[in-house]
Amino acid sequence: MEDNNLNNPEGQEISIELSEEIAEGVYSNLAIITHSNTEFVIDFVRIMPGVPKAKVKSRIVLTPEHAKRLMGALQDNIQRFESLNGKIDSKDVAFPLNFGGPKGEA
């Protein structure tokens, strides 16, 4: 895959390589965030209906400074998304571990 070039704050160009495997992405429907005084850890989890164990699919470790920059970037992107697509409905309800649907039987 081609490199993407970004300008960093110092004005230097950074070349970022995205492999085909990473470009496919990993689906996650839950994120668990923990932190210490030196780092934030975000575990991206996939919960599937009828499966008693949820697996961490990816873990990202960030410095507090980068965690705050990520939060700002997410807020900015959500605002832009909502201006084009309408408000995201984010009700404060418990995450349904059974996905709210009927249970399948084999």
Side-chain angles (χ1 to χ4, degrees):
M1 195 161 250
E2 289 186 24
D3 291 352
N4 291 320
N5 294 317
L6 301 175
N7 289 321
N8 68 18
E10 292 82 32
Q12 298 173 337
E13 196 172 273
I14 299 173
S15 180
I16 297 176
E17 183 179 333
L18 182 62
S19 70
E20 288 183 35
E21 179 184 2
I22 297 297
E24 290 178 14
V26 175
Y27 179 75
S28 169
N29 53 9
L30 176 67
I32 299 171
I33 303 170
T34 55
H35 63 87
S36 69
N37 61 336
T38 59
E39 60 197 16
F40 279 73
V41 178
I42 307 173
D43 286 330
F44 293 95
V45 180
R46 182 183 310 159
I47 297 177
M48 298 304 290
V51 179
K53 269 189 165 177
K55 291 188 177 184
V56 173
K57 294 307 213 172
S58 183
R59 171 175 277 188
I60 304 297
V61 181
L62 304 162
T63 65
E65 294 82 7
H66 283 113
K68 192 161 188 176
R69 290 178 70 187
L70 174 62
M71 181 182 70
L74 282 170
Q75 287 175 330
D76 180 55
N77 278 271
I78 288 170
Q79 287 173 350
R80 285 191 269 155
F81 176 91
E82 288 182 333
S83 71
L84 293 172
N85 301 289
K87 189 162 178 62
I88 299 169
D89 185 18
S90 58
K91 298 175 184 171
D92 289 328
V93 291
F95 190 82
L97 295 180
N98 65 359
F99 285 73
K103 292 185 178 181
E105 294 183 20

